[in-house]
């Protein structure tokens, strides 16, 4: 069983959202398409990038009126507001860290939204209870991606959609090389999951139409420009772009669908 102390410290007592890497309560690297990168970036642009990442995922899920939507790794719960813009019936968020669940509850007073504590590979919901499931920049932490895939397939109704956005690797030797470049891999907070293995785990769990598209061109350069903005750029953090350029890591939008004819 994995030691969860780094994860609990990072998101519990420390609250990673307060790091200057992030802004506005979100904790993701952002989707920067359409944001000019040649001038001084503003906090408003940083928040817009984080919202845009959610919007991309929510659009891929094709959320519509009446849908029940689950987010896994919901953090401060601000993604729920992006989902609500599509008019779903209900949004549920689940997060492993109790402090994150408390923050998400404080940030949302819409009666259609609720948050619970739970793990990606042991989701506290009945079979077939959602039409759509999203996860934004959380799966790089999951120890058991196959378990997450099985649990996602279980809680989705037949025909249900899944969309996951985060960073994955391509090669077997990436884990060791990433640990030498980036402290979040060295500490074990982030895990070097191969994107092909993630797609394989989703298929093995019964998902069809599994796609994994790189969106890194619209993530890494914007993130690097943002990291360069501070008075003392941290070389270690700026190694994200280096890792991308060396082919060690990329950012993906992964989508899948539970076949309409599957048993609940
Ligand atoms: C980088 S944050 C992203 C938060 C949010 N999705 C966002 O974009 O602002 C990752 C979140 O995933 C949660 N998390 C990590 N491992 C998890 C697991 N195994 N099950 C559920 N949540 C998990 C963390 O507690 C954290 O809140």
């Amino acid at each position: 069983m994995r030691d969860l102390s780094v994860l609990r410290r990072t998101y519990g007592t420390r609250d990673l959202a307060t790091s200057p890497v992030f802004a506005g309560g979100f904790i993701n690297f952002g989707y920067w398409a359409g944001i000019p990168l040649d001038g001084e970036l503003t906090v408003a642009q940083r928040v817009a990038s984080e919202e845009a990442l959610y919007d991309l995922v929510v659009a891929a899920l094709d959320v519509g009126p009446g849908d029940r939507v689950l987010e896994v790794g919901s953090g401060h719960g601000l993604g729920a507001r992006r989902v609500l813009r599509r008019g779903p019936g209900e949004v549920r968020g689940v997060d492993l860290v109790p402090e994150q669940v408390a923050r998400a509850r404080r940030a949302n007073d819409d009666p259609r939204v609720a948050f619970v504590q739970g793990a990606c590979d042991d989701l506290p919901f009945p079979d077939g209870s959602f039409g759509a499931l999203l996860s934004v920049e959380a799966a790089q932490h999951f120890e058991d991606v196959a378990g997450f895939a099985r649990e996602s397939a279980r809680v989705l109704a037949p025909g249900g959609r899944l969309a996951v956005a985060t960073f994955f690797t391509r090669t077997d030797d990436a884990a060791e090389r990433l640990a030498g470049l980036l402290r979040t891999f060295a500490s074990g907070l982030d895990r070097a999951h191969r994107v092909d293995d993630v797609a394989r785990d989703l298929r093995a769990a019964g998902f069809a139409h599994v796609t994994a598209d790189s969106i890194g061109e619209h993530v890494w350069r914007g993130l690097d420009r943002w990291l360069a903005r501070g008075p003392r750029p941290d070389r270690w953090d700026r190694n994200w772009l280096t890792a991308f350029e060396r082919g060690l890591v990329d950012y993906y939008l992964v989508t899948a669908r539970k076949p309409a004819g599957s048993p609940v």
Side-chain angles (χ1 to χ4, degrees):
M1 186 62 180
R2 180 184 170 203
D3 175 10
L4 295 173
S5 57
V6 179
L7 197 72
R8 289 191 191 280
R9 209 169 38 246
T10 305
Y11 293 110
T13 43
R14 264 192 52 211
D15 186 7
L16 190 60
T18 61
S19 159
V21 173
F22 306 101
F26 290 96
I27 320 170
N28 68 61
F29 288 168
Y31 185 76
W32 298 80
I35 299 177
L37 300 180
D38 46 2
E40 177 83 356
L41 290 171
T42 64
V43 171
Q45 286 172 316
R46 178 70 183 99
V47 175
S49 77
E50 294 169 295
E51 292 175 341
L53 183 61
Y54 265 98
D55 293 347
L56 187 80
V57 173
V58 172
L61 271 185
D62 197 21
V63 172
D67 261 335
R68 290 199 80 223
V69 181
L70 173 64
E71 179 177 8
V72 181
S74 41
H76 280 217
L78 303 182
R81 299 185 192 163
R82 308 308 292 180
V83 180
L84 284 178
R85 290 155 59 102
R86 309 276 300 211
E90 277 179 24
V91 185
R92 296 288 175 266
V94 61
D95 201 287
L96 189 65
V97 175
E99 289 92 334
Q100 294 288 63
V101 175
R103 292 176 187 121
R105 286 177 178 157
R106 281 197 295 275
N108 287 279
D109 57 6
D110 190 300
R112 291 169 296 171
V113 179
F115 297 90
V116 295
Q117 195 266 334
C120 69
D121 48 7
D122 187 15
L123 294 171
F125 301 100
D127 297 359
S129 46
F130 294 97
L133 184 152
L134 70 150
S135 183
V136 176
E137 210 163 301
Q140 78 283 357
H141 296 315
F142 299 167
E143 178 182 28
D144 182 6
V145 174
F148 164 65
R150 280 194 301 274
E151 278 293 86
S152 299
R154 181 183 67 75
V155 301
L156 280 171
R161 293 94 61 205
L162 170 142
V164 172
T166 196
F167 44 94
F168 296 121
T169 68
R170 275 207 174 278
T171 62
D172 286 331
D173 66 346
E176 198 178 326
R177 295 173 65 198
L178 284 168
L181 276 177
L182 291 159
R183 67 179 141 219
T184 56
F185 283 95
S187 70
L189 178 66
D190 290 330
R191 305 171 73 87
H193 294 301
R194 280 181 0 119
V195 67
D196 292 346
D197 293 344
V198 174
R200 179 205 59 202
D201 289 342
L202 289 168
R203 288 190 192 96
F207 282 101
H209 306 292
V210 179
T211 66
D213 294 321
S214 163
I215 57 168
E217 275 304 327
H218 294 303
V219 174
W220 303 113
R221 291 181 208 294
L223 174 70
D224 189 67
R225 291 300 307 144
W226 176 254
L227 294 173
R229 159 188 182 274
R232 285 192 306 120
D234 182 338
R235 256 197 56 73
W236 187 296
D237 281 337
R238 294 195 63 196
N239 277 344
W240 285 103
L241 182 59
T242 306
F244 167 61
E245 288 174 341
R246 290 185 188 168
L248 297 177
V249 72
D250 201 356
Y251 213 101
Y252 292 92
L253 175 61
V254 176
T255 64
R257 183 176 280 266
K258 180 167 169 173
S262 358
V264 175

